[in-house]
Amino acid sequence: MAKITVQFACADCGTTSGRWLGKCPGCGAFGTLVEELHGSPSGTKAARPSTPVPIADVSADEADRISTGVSELDRVLGGGLVPASLVLVGGEPGVGKSTLLLTALGAISRGGRRALLVTGEESAAQVALRAARLGGAEQVEILAETELDTVCATLEAERPDVCVIDSVQTLHASALGSAPGSVAQVREAAGRLLRVAKESGVATVLVGHVTKDGAVAGPRVLEHLVDCVLQFEGDRYHEHRILRATKNRFGSTNELGVFEMTAAGLVGVPDPSELFGTTHPGEVGAAVGCALEGTRPMLLEVQALVAPSDLAMPRRVGTGVDPKRLAMIVAVLGRHAGVALASADVFVNVAGGVRIEEPGADLAVALAIASAARGVPVREGVAVFGEIGLTGRLRQASQAERRLEECAKLGLATVIAPAGTASRVSLRVAAAETLRAAIAEGLETASASAVGAAA
Ligand SMILES: Nc1ncnc2c1ncn2[C@@H]1O[C@H](COP(=O)(O)OP(=O)(O)OP(=O)(O)O)[C@@H](O)[C@H]1O
Ligand SMILES: [Mg+2]
């Protein structure tokens, strides 16, 4: 019988303490320590040594990966689910986590594998309703259960190929006195499920709730524990959803999956450029950039608004762009490209709720801001990419050829890229040495007299 002890654990970071403290010693947050009843093992078994083996003797095959049948999900996972791995899928309420995973389970079960859905959030009947709407999930087995011991025992006995736990916050270990969803419970559930996944070879997917700042709720240790953390994001008011990996032990974390929410479930969008990379001709403050997300080049519309401001420190607000990068681009525009923004608020938005993180998208942001500041639209059929240096010179972006191919595929006429970008595709590449030259090339009637006219 486990001995029950009282512990205080930080609700943010999971740091534990024997007594209550006002400030968490782990993360420095105030008032986050909550009392938890914690079961500790009543004694350790005598340890027996084990024999290590050379890596060469370990059999592992890339082909063992289980395809989820949802190509965008496979892409983000790095080619499918790895057997015996633990994947955490986080996302805002209603973003479509259950829908995505039920679709995947349906496809897995149709492929002749056993797929189990453990639902603690919805009743079996509710899941059946969704399954009927989505279609193709008749073979998926379902277990409506929140008791952790029962779930683990079922997994060990049944050994399905893939199991989805929806959600980890509803699981409840009765040995612990605290409520389901508390730090101790979530940590216990994840730890136990990890052991079962590795021992029984079940590829397990945990659904996790997110806190209001977007992190997966529960202790930080949860993210360390699992093999893969996927974030399902998207505007609930738009039908597009974006799945990205923030941690992946078996693949790149730069990959991105794009979905569209329809009545028949989530449909993968294999060609997001078509969706996100179109601007209205003649519109001021919009530019098309070609950003690279993992191995996938993607055309994105970047919009900017430049408005006069009386603030001593004008605002630089970016949605989907890194604020530091935005501040840098605004400074370089002012200093090296003659776009004065010192007394103007600058707002930048990336279409479709996509976040751009790579420097190759700098030029698109700069061109959109320059267009907004000067009140001159970007030329029609123009896309841009390139990194902006602090000296105002453009630096070459990685994988330029793939970006150019994507632009050519979408029928763009001209691409403005850093000097030295070679092209084998049939579209005009306007090479620009500096940011100033790129803006002159990109804007429709950018005459010298218009420089600095806005704001
Ligand atoms: N009949 C329908 N037609 C179109 N879209 C629907 C329909 N029913 C549900 N949806 C979409 O599915 C979303 C809910 O999906 P789902 O239940 O998979 O989300 P979730 O992330 O699991 O949410 P939670 O965190 O509450 O479990 C809704 O926000 C809605 O956009
Ligand atoms: Mg759900």
Side-chain angles (χ1 to χ4, degrees):
M1 181 64 203
K3 193 174 148 233
I4 306 294
T5 52
V6 177
Q7 267 198 342
F8 293 87
C10 172
D12 282 353
C13 72
T15 303
T16 55
S17 156
R19 64 193 174 92
W20 190 83
L21 300 166
K23 182 182 175 187
C24 169
C27 64
F30 284 92
T32 53
L33 261 67
V34 287
E35 183 180 335
E36 300 215 313
L37 296 171
H38 202 274
S40 66
S42 49
T44 45
K45 284 185 279 177
R48 268 182 292 126
S50 187
T51 326
V53 291
I55 288 184
D57 295 354
V58 181
S59 73
D61 197 351
E62 248 320 92
D64 286 346
R65 280 186 188 258
I66 302 168
S67 166
T68 60
V70 180
S71 57
E72 299 286 301
L73 177 59
D74 279 350
R75 177 208 296 278
V76 177
L77 284 169
L81 279 169
V82 174
S85 66
L86 198 59
V87 177
L88 177 66
V89 178
E92 301 231 332
V95 76
K97 303 177 290 294
S98 308
T99 308
L100 174 69
L101 294 171
L102 186 61
T103 313
L105 284 181
I108 290 166
S109 67
R110 287 198 303 280
R113 288 192 158 94
R114 280 191 73 186
L116 174 68
L117 173 65
V118 177
T119 169
E121 257 169 25
E122 293 162 70
S123 68
Q126 282 172 322
V127 175
L129 273 180
R130 176 178 297 123
R133 176 160 59 86
L134 302 181
E138 294 78 18
Q139 301 300 315
V140 177
E141 292 161 69
I142 181 165
L143 176 74
E145 183 59 65
T146 57
E147 179 58 56
L148 180 61
D149 297 304
T150 316
V151 172
C152 289
T154 312
L155 285 182
E156 275 163 357
E158 299 285 330
R159 298 193 177 220
D161 294 292
V162 181
C163 169
V164 170
I165 313 265
D166 192 2
S167 67
V168 67
Q169 271 89 1
T170 55
L171 289 183
H172 165 81
S174 49
L176 304 186
S178 45
S182 66
V183 175
Q185 289 282 8
V186 171
R187 189 168 37 194
E188 174 75 9
R192 293 267 294 279
L193 287 166
L194 177 73
R195 217 153 44 232
V196 174
K198 302 287 169 201
E199 280 166 14
S200 311
V202 183
T204 309
V205 182
L206 305 177
V207 174
H209 294 173
V210 296
T211 59
K212 55 178 187 302
D213 1 300
V216 178
R220 196 80 197 168
V221 280
L222 192 58
E223 284 170 56
H224 289 296
L225 215 64
V226 299
D227 297 311
C228 191
V229 180
L230 306 185
Q231 281 284 359
F232 203 28
E233 342 180 309
D235 208 326
R236 256 194 296 162
Y237 308 104
H238 290 100
E239 59 277 26
H240 301 120
R241 307 282 193 271
I242 293 179
L243 184 71
R244 60 172 82 234
T246 54
K247 163 180 173 176
N248 194 347
R249 286 186 180 146
F250 318 112
S252 155
T253 53
N254 299 323
E255 293 294 348
L256 183 105
V258 182
F259 296 91
E260 195 169 345
M261 182 61 102
T262 67
L266 285 160
V267 183
V269 179
D271 211 348
S273 294
E274 226 166 286
L275 206 64
F276 299 141
T278 45
T279 52
H280 299 280
E283 202 168 61
V284 166
V288 176
C290 189
L292 209 63
E293 287 284 350
T295 57
R296 167 188 248 187
M298 198 154 103
L299 292 184
L300 292 170
E301 179 191 358
V302 181
Q303 297 180 337
L305 172 70
V306 174
S309 171
D310 294 330
L311 296 175
M313 282 182 66
R315 274 175 287 206
R316 277 83 180 88
V317 183
T319 312
V321 289
D322 176 23
K324 284 197 208 114
R325 201 94 210 151
L326 176 59
M328 188 276 277
I329 292 170
V330 168
V332 176
L333 274 169
R335 188 69 183 79
H336 295 293
V339 183
L341 298 161
S343 55
D345 288 336
V346 177
F347 302 91
V348 173
N349 182 31
V350 181
V354 184
R355 263 199 335 253
I356 43 179
E357 273 149 11
E358 61 115 22
D362 285 357
L363 191 52
V365 176
L367 189 61
I369 297 175
S371 161
R374 293 184 181 172
V376 178
V378 173
R379 271 183 230 275
E380 216 183 311
V382 166
V384 297
F385 65 83
E387 181 180 346
I388 299 173
L390 292 181
T391 57
R393 182 173 291 279
L394 296 183
R395 277 201 228 131
Q396 288 203 23
S398 58
Q399 307 202 37
E401 192 61 25
R402 300 188 59 164
R403 298 185 205 237
L404 289 171
E405 278 167 15
E406 182 74 8
C407 296
K409 202 169 87 193
L410 270 285
L412 287 155
T414 308
V415 174
I416 303 173
T421 304
S423 167
R424 283 189 295 274
V425 288
S426 60
L427 87 186
R428 192 172 85 84
V429 177
E433 283 265 329
T434 60
L435 177 58
R436 189 184 282 267
I439 291 173
E441 180 71 36
L443 297 188
E444 241 171 34
T445 49
S447 62
S449 63
V451 171

